Amino acid sequence: MMKGEIIVLETEFFKALAHPTRLRILEKLAFGEVCVCEFIEKLDLEQSNISQHLAILRKQNIITSTKVGLKVMYRIKYPEVLNVLGLVREVLAKQLKESEELIKHLTDPFE
Amino acid sequence: MMKGEIIVLETEFFKALAHPTRLRILEKLAFGEVCVCEFIEKLDLEQSNISQHLAILRKQNIITSTKVGLKVMYRIKYPEVLNVLGLVREVLAKQLKESEELIKHLTDPFE
DNA sequence: TTGCCTTATTCTAATATTATAATCTTTTTT
DNA sequence: AAAAAAGATTATAATATTAGAATAAGGCAA
């Protein structure tokens, strides 16, 4: 596999995560299996839209599903993905803390 | 800050990383400061295009720049971002390894 | 000052993503 | 078998991203 191809894979991976609905889906899956019906109920979005977002995460091999009667249960396939989300949140937290401090210096410039 | 707002921040962060050119830029910056001229030379893309991608990473607070004479030097602002890239590569490696094994079972089904 | 070099910004056309609506498919229930 | 339930898929209109061309801005050198 060539370097350029890996970058494309990485890009596709990041694209799969780059949508609020898909992040919300993963957030729910962090606690365990969830059926589509529950996503519909909790996320308050159109069924077909949720199905499309699930398809994108499935295609990227981030989640898998099994059919149980009429329902389809989804779960996270590689739990490491949750670590990625956690690490991103850490970076964001650090960024926010710094801008907070900047604001503090702006409002109390002589302390 | 509300939960929904955090998700939007995360989404914006992932979007910033979801482009091959921007990943290539970060890959180069992993070794230290790089000037725009070097990106132009190494990435073989239009100057304005590179400048646009740098602007996106700047806006997301992932990189910063300083002007040195005519040149502008860029560097990674939060090195943790590199850990995110590393973790993603680990997930991809694991995914690829699994599909390799699947292929192996397909081609040598009786071993 | 004038011109040149490096980078940034703006504009635009092409492409990609997204949400909704409509239409299947599959499984269960009656 | 027919109807209902749960999801998936397809089509499409609206929106967002992208690359390239043209232009602008900032700093240096003659």
Side-chain angles (χ1 to χ4, degrees):
Chain A
M1 165 119 38
M2 234 200 70
K3 204 174 175 185
E5 301 177 65
I6 293 175
I7 291 233
V8 171
L9 289 183
E10 289 183 78
T11 303
E12 296 307 310
F13 189 88
F14 281 119
K15 274 190 194 171
L17 299 182
H19 193 286
T21 298
R22 296 196 286 274
L23 290 181
R24 292 213 283 158
I25 286 172
L26 293 177
E27 212 170 57
K28 299 226 173 297
L29 289 176
F31 297 103
E33 280 200 340
V34 178
C35 69
V36 178
C37 53
E38 195 175 331
F39 287 129
I40 293 172
E41 189 188 330
K42 300 275 181 66
L43 299 183
D44 191 38
L45 293 169
E46 298 266 337
Q47 175 269 320
S48 77
N49 191 12
I50 289 175
S51 209
Q52 284 173 334
H53 286 298
L54 288 169
I56 288 169
L57 290 171
R58 238 189 304 124
K59 191 177 164 195
Q60 197 54 46
N61 209 12
I62 291 170
I63 61 179
T64 17
S65 60
T66 45
K67 200 154 192 176
V68 181
L70 273 180
K71 302 193 172 180
V72 176
M73 303 301 295
Y74 276 90
R75 76 195 84 62
I76 289 183
K77 189 160 179 190
Y78 297 92
E80 295 83 354
V81 171
L82 295 177
N83 300 340
V84 173
L85 298 183
L87 207 45
V88 167
R89 247 172 260 134
E90 275 183 41
V91 175
L92 290 174
K94 204 164 173 183
Q95 288 181 342
L96 289 175
K97 201 192 293 179
E98 273 196 27
S99 38
E100 257 177 43
E101 278 167 24
L102 261 178
I103 290 170
K104 198 179 292 179
H105 284 300
L106 273 177
T107 51
D108 313 331
F110 304 117
E111 282 187 17
Chain B
M1 167 120 39
M2 236 201 68
K3 205 171 174 186
E5 301 176 62
I6 293 175
I7 292 232
V8 171
L9 290 183
E10 287 181 79
T11 302
E12 296 307 310
F13 189 89
F14 281 119
K15 275 190 192 169
L17 299 182
H19 193 286
T21 299
R22 296 197 285 274
L23 289 180
R24 292 214 282 158
I25 285 171
L26 293 178
E27 210 170 58
K28 300 227 172 301
L29 288 176
F31 296 104
E33 279 200 339
V34 178
C35 69
V36 178
C37 53
E38 196 175 329
F39 287 127
I40 293 172
E41 188 189 331
K42 300 274 180 65
L43 299 183
D44 191 38
L45 293 169
E46 298 269 335
Q47 175 270 319
S48 79
N49 192 11
I50 289 175
S51 210
Q52 285 175 337
H53 286 298
L54 288 169
I56 288 170
L57 291 171
R58 240 189 301 123
K59 191 177 163 194
Q60 197 55 44
N61 209 13
I62 291 171
I63 60 179
T64 15
S65 60
T66 44
K67 199 152 195 178
V68 181
L70 274 181
K71 302 193 171 178
V72 175
M73 303 301 293
Y74 275 90
R75 79 196 81 65
I76 289 183
K77 190 159 175 190
Y78 297 92
E80 294 84 354
V81 170
L82 296 176
N83 300 340
V84 173
L85 298 183
L87 206 45
V88 167
R89 245 172 262 133
E90 275 182 43
V91 175
L92 290 174
K94 204 165 174 183
Q95 289 182 341
L96 289 174
K97 200 192 293 178
E98 273 196 27
S99 40
E100 257 178 43
E101 278 166 26
L102 260 177
I103 291 171
K104 196 180 292 177
H105 284 298
L106 272 177
T107 52
D108 313 332
F110 304 117
E111 279 185 21

